[in-house]
Amino acid sequence: MNFDTVIIGGGLAGLVCGIKLQEKGQRCAIINNGQAAIDFSSGSLDLLSRLPDGKNVQNIDRTFAQLVEQAPQHPYSVLGQEVVLAKAREFEQLAQSLNLDLLGTLAQNHYRVTPLGGLRASWLSPNSVPTVLEGEAFAHDRIAILGIEGYHDFQPQMLADNLLQQAPFAHCEVSTGYLNIPELDQLRQAAREFRSVNIAQLLEHKLSFHNLVNEIKEAAKGASAVFLPACFGLDTQVFFTQLREATGLALFELPTLPPSLLGIRQHKQLRYRFEKSGGLMMNGDRALRAELDGNRVVKIYTEIHQDIAISAQHFVLASGSFFSNGLVAEFDRIYEPVFGADILEMADFAADKRLSWTHARFSQPQPYQSAGVIINSHCQVQKSGQFLQNLFAAGNVIGGYNGIELGCGSGVAVVTALWAAEQIGGGDEY
C-alpha cells in the first residue's frame, strides 16, 4: 500500500492535518487505533490560558514573548509567533467551513462554564455552551439548571452553588430541577448504560419531541436561560438547536463525565470531512514499527498488516500521549514506540530517570505530563540526534509543555497539524 502521506493517529491533530492535505490533492491514510482524546473532551478548544508562572492569558499575541522566555521548549516557542497566530486563524476559518458551530477568537479568550460551576478560559467553544467575557456579566438574570432523573453524571445543585460564587453570575437567580423523560425508563433499569451517549441514542429514535419541549418549559419555571447536560443530539448540534427554537428559551448544554457528546460530535464531523475528501481511515489498526533509509522513513508496519508494508512520501506522528499509547511508560523509561524518536528532556524531567517523572505533591503539575518527542521549527521529528526529513509530529505526542496546566492542548494540536501539513503540501490558505 502506497500513499502520499500516512498519519498515525485519528484524533484532533491527525484529522485536521489529514483534511488539509486531502484538500491540497494528497492521498492520505490515517491509522486509527481506537477512541481519541477528543471523544472525552469538553468540546471547547484552548489556545493558551496561562503562562508557566501562573499568569492568566487573555490575548496570546501580547503574552507570546513571555511564553518564549518562560518556556523556550514549548512547541509555540519552537514554531514562533508568526506561525502560531497564522495557523490559529487558519483553524478558525476551517472550523467555520466545517460548521463546527464554534464561537471565539484568538484576539481574546472567553470563559466557559464547567459542569461543576467553575469558569475556564477557552479560545473556541460550541455556541451551545454558556460563556462570558472578562469583566462582563452573564446576559440572563434567571437561570434554571435541569438535570435528568436518575442521571448522576450531572449535579444541578452543586453546579448552582458554585456558579453563584462566580462574579459574572452573582446577579443571577438560579433554580434547579430534574426532567423525567419517560422514554429513558428502560435505561434507568441498567445504571451502567445510563450515560450521555446512550441517552442521546435513545432520544433521537424514541422521543416525543413535543412532550420534551413542554417538560423543559414547565421545569424552567419562568427562567429565561436553561442549563442542561449535553445529552441531546448525538451526531450534530441540530437536535439541540431544534429544542432551543421550540422552547423559545436560551438553552445551553454543559459537557458531562466522559465520553462527552460535545467532543464526539466534533470528532464525527472532522472524520466525515476527511473521508468525504477522499481520505482513508484505517480503523482498529495500530502502527508497530518503521523502516528507515538514512534520515527518511520508508515504510511502516501495522498490527493488522504486519506482513504488508505501508509506504508513503511523508509520515505524520499524531498518536497522542500516554492516553492513546503515543507514548509508553515502562518502569525505567518513557519512549515513543513506533519510530523510537528522541524524548525531550527538560530541567525537571528525563525520560530515563523515573524519580524525575512526578512531583512530590500530588496536586502539582506532574513533569511526565510534559513528556514527548523533539521537533524543530518545521515540526520534523528527531531520532538519534538527527531530524528525519519526512517525519513530522503534531499534537500531544510533542514534548515541552503541559497542556492541562497551561490550557493549550487543543491549540498545540491544531497549530502543529496545520503547520506540518503546510510543510508537506504547500502553503495555500483555506
Side-chain angles (χ1 to χ4, degrees):
M1 290 185 286
N2 184 48
F3 300 89
D4 294 317
T5 300
V6 170
I7 300 168
I8 301 171
L12 178 61
L15 285 168
V16 168
C17 185
I19 288 169
K20 178 166 184 178
L21 289 172
Q22 282 292 139
E23 294 188 352
K24 290 182 176 297
Q26 290 230 345
R27 183 168 178 262
C28 300
I30 291 179
I31 299 172
N32 179 35
N33 69 353
Q35 279 191 307
I38 189 174
D39 293 323
F40 298 80
S41 75
S42 67
S44 293
L45 286 78
D46 42 19
L47 188 61
L48 183 67
S49 300
R50 66 191 63 84
L51 294 173
D53 65 5
K55 178 183 177 181
N56 290 330
V57 172
Q58 278 296 312
N59 182 297
I60 187 174
D61 191 7
R62 298 173 185 171
T63 54
F64 202 94
Q66 297 175 58
L67 175 67
V68 173
E69 181 180 353
Q70 296 178 29
Q73 294 172 303
H74 193 291
Y76 289 167
S77 303
V78 175
L79 268 58
Q81 181 172 350
E82 182 178 349
V83 168
V84 171
L85 297 183
K87 294 301 137 187
R89 293 189 189 97
E90 185 176 341
F91 181 76
E92 291 178 359
Q93 297 170 10
L94 174 60
Q96 289 184 356
S97 73
L98 293 174
N99 298 317
L100 293 181
D101 298 314
L102 296 176
L103 294 177
T105 170
L106 62 84
Q108 182 183 7
N109 280 337
H110 60 263
Y111 291 94
R112 64 174 177 87
V113 178
T114 72
L116 295 180
L119 296 178
R120 184 174 176 86
S122 298
W123 165 36
L124 302 170
S125 289
N127 59 21
S128 59
V129 171
T131 61
V132 292
L133 293 175
E134 177 74 21
E136 290 189 358
F138 189 60
H140 299 271
D141 295 330
R142 295 189 62 187
I143 303 171
I145 301 175
L146 305 179
I148 298 173
E149 287 187 8
Y151 179 60
H152 301 303
D153 291 352
F154 184 82
Q155 298 294 326
Q157 190 60 57
M158 181 185 299
L159 196 162
D161 291 344
N162 291 332
L163 192 66
L164 289 172
Q165 306 303 313
Q166 310 299 330
F169 294 88
H171 69 289
C172 295
E173 178 185 335
V174 180
S175 63
T176 62
Y178 289 89
L179 302 174
N180 178 265
I181 313 180
E183 289 85 353
L184 300 179
D185 286 346
Q186 66 183 78
L187 286 182
R188 293 188 178 96
Q189 298 173 9
R192 291 183 180 180
E193 297 181 6
F194 207 33
R195 296 289 182 263
S196 59
V197 174
N198 305 92
I199 293 172
Q201 288 173 333
L202 185 62
L203 293 185
E204 288 204 4
H205 300 290
K206 298 184 178 181
L207 177 72
S208 172
F209 185 80
H210 177 72
N211 289 344
L212 176 60
V213 169
N214 288 337
E215 187 173 358
I216 292 174
K217 291 169 70 174
E218 291 176 9
K221 297 179 179 178
S224 60
V226 176
F227 291 4
L228 297 168
C231 297
F232 305 91
L234 181 61
D235 296 323
T236 69
Q237 194 181 299
V238 171
F239 182 80
F240 185 81
T241 301
Q242 291 173 344
L243 270 182
R244 177 185 282 173
E245 294 172 351
T247 60
L249 300 170
L251 296 189
F252 298 94
E253 55 182 347
L254 293 172
T256 63
L257 289 177
S260 164
L261 226 59
L262 296 172
I264 290 172
R265 288 178 194 161
Q266 292 176 357
H267 194 182
K268 289 186 175 182
Q269 288 171 276
L270 289 168
R271 178 175 166 178
Y272 173 77
R273 177 66 167 264
F274 175 71
E275 293 184 307
K276 185 179 180 181
S277 63
L280 174 66
M281 292 291 298
M282 301 175 66
N283 293 312
D285 205 353
R286 181 167 61 95
L288 297 178
R289 59 186 178 89
E291 288 186 7
L292 277 67
D293 181 8
N295 69 340
R296 290 184 61 86
V297 179
V298 178
K299 59 187 71 172
I300 62 173
Y301 295 87
T302 70
E303 193 167 56
I304 293 178
H305 304 92
Q306 295 192 35
D307 299 322
I308 303 174
I310 301 175
S311 59
Q313 294 298 310
H314 300 93
F315 295 84
V316 178
L317 183 63
S319 50
S321 188
F322 299 99
F323 175 82
S324 53
N325 293 320
L327 299 174
V328 176
E330 294 183 344
F331 184 81
D332 58 350
R333 66 172 182 145
I334 291 173
Y335 66 97
E336 186 281 307
V338 180
F339 301 96
D342 295 342
I343 301 297
L344 180 64
E345 293 194 357
M346 304 181 70
D348 58 350
F349 170 82
D352 59 351
K353 296 180 180 178
R354 185 180 179 86
L355 294 180
S356 73
W357 298 356
T358 56
H359 192 282
R361 292 183 62 86
F362 178 79
S363 60
Q364 290 294 312
Q366 301 298 319
Y368 76 86
Q369 294 173 316
S370 300
V373 303
I374 301 172
I375 62 167
N376 60 14
S377 60
H378 301 289
C379 282
Q380 290 168 309
V381 177
Q382 178 178 303
K383 176 180 171 63
S384 302
Q386 180 182 27
F387 288 103
L388 301 180
Q389 184 179 345
N390 66 335
L391 177 62
F392 302 83
N396 290 336
V397 74
I398 299 172
Y401 73 106
N402 184 330
I404 298 175
E405 177 192 7
L406 304 182
C408 62
S410 302
V412 169
V414 299
V415 165
T416 54
L418 290 172
W419 185 235
E422 184 167 320
Q423 307 309 297
I424 294 169
D428 295 337
E429 299 292 334
Y430 280 101

